[in-house]
């Protein structure tokens, strides 16, 4: 199985901050990685697929990048609506696996 | 607007059975890769099962042999039949859509979730 190690598990930040979340795959997954945002009591929302392709309607302050087996989600300027939990997911192989999540909290 | 609506969750005793339904609108479940993803209380996301448009099915090891994914074309509904339920199956179960294998099995549409509680 491909393990996805996400860090940090919790992140405290202020509005306007630049935020970076990392996901490391245990094996090569090429660019088969998605990022989701989830708010309490709600379903996850797709932000990015193929490591860096922004889903339609997602603000441009969100971006994704890849370097080998390390993947990064960056929020360039954190907005009040961005306080949520973020998950990565690999879809290179079954079983599909998610990272453990990063909760972005208000500092 | 694409909508996925889950139903069928509830309280069930360990060893019991339950079937979840996911009714779709504005998409055809037969032409998409439909999946179930679960989330235990306070925990992260866990993929459960995927049904390909061609009929192939995939399951996580934790549910293989106990859960069955299927669809009813005319009702445009996907099901998750769960048997031999365990307390660790307690979770909100989300129905989700992936486009196809070529673009990759990631999920662009999700239902609101259905809570399954396994407890005596």
């Amino acid at each position: 199985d491909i393990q996805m190690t996400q860090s940090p598990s919790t992140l405290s930040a202020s509005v306007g901050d630049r935020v970076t979340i990392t996901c490391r795959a245990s094996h090569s997954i090429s660019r088969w990685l998605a990022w989701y945002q989830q708010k309490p009591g709600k379903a996850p929302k797709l932000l990015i697929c193929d490591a860096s392709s922004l889903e339609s309607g997602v603000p441009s302050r969100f971006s994704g990048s890849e370097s080998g087996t390390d993947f990064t989600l960056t929020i360039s300027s954190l907005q009040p609506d961005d306080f949520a939990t973020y998950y990565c997911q690999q879809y290179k192989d079954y079983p599909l696996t998610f990272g453990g999540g990063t909760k972005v909290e208000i500092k | 607007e694409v909508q996925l609506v889950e139903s069928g969750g509830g309280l069930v005793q360990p060893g019991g059975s339950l079937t979840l339904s996911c009714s779709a609108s504005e998409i055809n479940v037969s032409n998409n890769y439909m999946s179930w993803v679960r989330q235990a209380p306070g925990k992260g996301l866990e993929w459960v099962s995927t049904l390909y448009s061609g009929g192939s099915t995939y399951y996580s090891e934790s549910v293989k042999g106990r859960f069955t994914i299927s669809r009813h074309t005319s009702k445009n509904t996907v099901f998750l039949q769960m048997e031999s339920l365990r307390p660790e199956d307690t979770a909100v179960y989300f129905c989700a859509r992936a486009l196809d294998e070529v673009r990759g099995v990631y999920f662009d549409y999700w239902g609101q979730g259905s809570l399954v509680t396994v407890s005596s």
Side-chain angles (χ1 to χ4, degrees):
Chain A
D1 296 5
I2 299 173
Q3 309 300 322
M4 303 302 296
T5 303
Q6 194 172 334
S7 61
S9 56
T10 306
L11 187 160
S12 296
S14 302
V15 172
D17 284 353
R18 181 181 181 87
V19 166
T20 299
I21 298 168
T22 298
C23 221
R24 173 168 290 174
S26 62
H27 302 82
S28 172
I29 59 169
S30 186
R31 297 178 62 83
W32 300 103
L33 184 107
W35 289 99
Y36 302 89
Q37 176 194 67
Q38 187 181 33
K39 296 183 178 179
K42 301 294 186 182
K45 173 188 175 183
L46 177 66
L47 299 175
I48 287 169
C49 65
D50 299 341
S52 61
S53 295
L54 203 64
E55 182 72 358
S56 175
V58 174
S60 59
R61 62 181 179 272
F62 290 92
S63 64
S65 64
E66 164 255 344
S67 177
T69 57
D70 290 341
F71 298 83
T72 300
L73 173 69
T74 300
I75 309 173
S76 60
S77 178
L78 197 66
Q79 298 302 301
D81 190 49
D82 302 336
F83 291 97
T85 300
Y86 295 84
Y87 295 93
C88 61
Q89 179 227 330
Q90 67 81 18
Y91 47 97
K92 172 68 166 58
D93 203 359
Y94 285 99
L96 306 177
T97 47
F98 291 87
T102 296
K103 185 176 182 180
V104 177
E105 299 180 326
I106 300 173
K107 181 185 282 185
Chain B
E1 179 189 357
V2 173
Q3 279 199 320
L4 300 173
V5 179
E6 301 96 337
S7 60
L11 175 64
V12 60
Q13 292 189 338
S17 301
L18 204 61
T19 297
L20 301 180
S21 301
C22 171
S23 178
S25 56
E26 300 301 321
I27 63 166
N28 188 328
V29 300
S30 296
N31 296 336
N32 290 273
Y33 284 28
M34 302 304 296
S35 299
W36 292 92
V37 176
R38 69 185 180 183
Q39 186 169 37
K43 302 297 184 182
L45 301 170
E46 180 189 14
W47 168 76
V48 174
S49 180
T50 295
L51 172 60
Y52 281 16
S53 55
S56 298
T57 57
Y58 296 85
Y59 298 94
S60 68
E61 280 300 319
S62 61
V63 308
K64 194 176 293 183
R66 300 188 298 123
F67 290 11
T68 303
I69 191 171
S70 63
R71 64 188 175 217
H72 193 299
T73 301
S74 62
K75 293 183 178 180
N76 207 28
T77 299
V78 177
F79 303 98
L80 186 68
Q81 183 178 351
M82 304 182 291
E83 299 176 344
S84 302
L85 282 161
R86 307 165 179 167
E88 56 264 34
D89 295 318
T90 295
V92 173
Y93 285 73
F94 295 100
C95 174
R97 191 280 292 259
L99 280 167
D100 56 45
E101 190 176 13
V102 173
R103 275 167 280 194
V105 185
Y106 60 88
F107 310 112
D108 57 352
Y109 289 105
W110 297 69
Q112 84 286 354
S114 184
L115 176 62
V116 173
T117 303
V118 184
S119 174
S120 55

